[in-house]
Amino acid sequence: AQSVSQHNHHVILSEAASLELGCNYSYGGTVNLFWYVQYPGQHLQLLLKYFSGDPLVKGIKGFEAEFIKSKFSFNLRKPSVQWSDTAEYFCAGQGSGTYKYIFGTGTRLKVLA
Amino acid sequence: EAQVTQNPRYLITVTGKKLTVTCSQNMNHEYMSWYRQDPGLGLRQIYYSMNVEVTDKGDVPEGYKVSRKEKRNFPLILESPSPNQTSLYFCASSERPSPYNEQFFGPGTRLTVL
């Protein structure tokens, strides 16, 4: 069955710390992968996406993610977090050629000033 | 302003009383979708629509209906709501049903079924 897993449910970091949020997927074929962010009281918005090409993708606000096919992973990274990065982060997948999206359970990030 | 709107934003109702949550987008998007968000379960797709009169089930369609009679609107219908449908609901749209196109999300509708 298709699935997207996020194992870190809550993460607390101090400002300037480096961030890595895990995302693993399980799909039968080619998959498109996304990271979305939901800031407190705001809509979900897209951070970055991967569908082919360079496995290291850069998104908005200094975030990047690396698609590692051998590990079925698409981890989100940021070298130095800020207080304003406090939010909930969702990894999502879409099987290539399908119209369905599967989201992970989310990771709540709290950055301490 | 390009946006996805949902109404109502908050709703408390009782078991069995039919309700409709509206979703409208002003971006001429083809693809629209409904999700529910529950603690510990993330977002789960309920239904999606590739275009007018074309809809399909997501992962959790039981207890919900949708229709897409116009491109801009994609209402979510709960014919006989039950307490396990208490949740936060999001509507989303994208220009095409493709990973090249970003999904834009609405502000959410918090539904409580007593």
Side-chain angles (χ1 to χ4, degrees), chain A residues 6-77:
Chain A
Q6 293 179 247
H7 302 296
N8 315 104
H9 300 298
H10 292 90
V11 174
I12 301 175
L13 294 173
S14 298
E15 271 194 319
S18 64
L19 170 72
E20 181 161 3
L21 302 182
C23 173
N24 289 95
Y25 65 91
S26 173
Y27 274 82
T30 308
V31 63
N32 305 308
L33 295 161
F34 310 82
W35 275 98
Y36 282 84
V37 61
Q38 188 176 29
Y39 297 104
Q42 295 189 26
H43 307 186
L44 275 92
Q45 55 185 283
L46 182 68
L47 270 180
L48 48 80
K49 61 188 175 187
Y50 171 81
F51 36 85
S52 65
D54 189 343
L56 184 63
V57 292
K58 294 193 184 297
I60 60 172
K61 307 189 183 200
F63 287 92
E64 65 179 31
E66 186 173 12
F67 173 66
I68 303 179
K69 192 173 180 180
S70 60
K71 294 185 178 180
F72 302 96
S73 69
F74 189 57
N75 293 354
L76 181 71
R77 300 195 294 245

Side-chain angles (χ1 to χ4, degrees), chain A residues 43 49 51 99-101 105, chain B residues 31 40 45 48 59 100 105:
Chain A
H43 307 186
K49 61 188 175 187
F51 36 85
Y99 304 109
K100 287 175 63 172
Y101 287 84
T105 53
Chain B
Y31 183 87
Q45 193 170 34
Y48 58 93
D59 278 337
Y100 301 99
F105 283 80

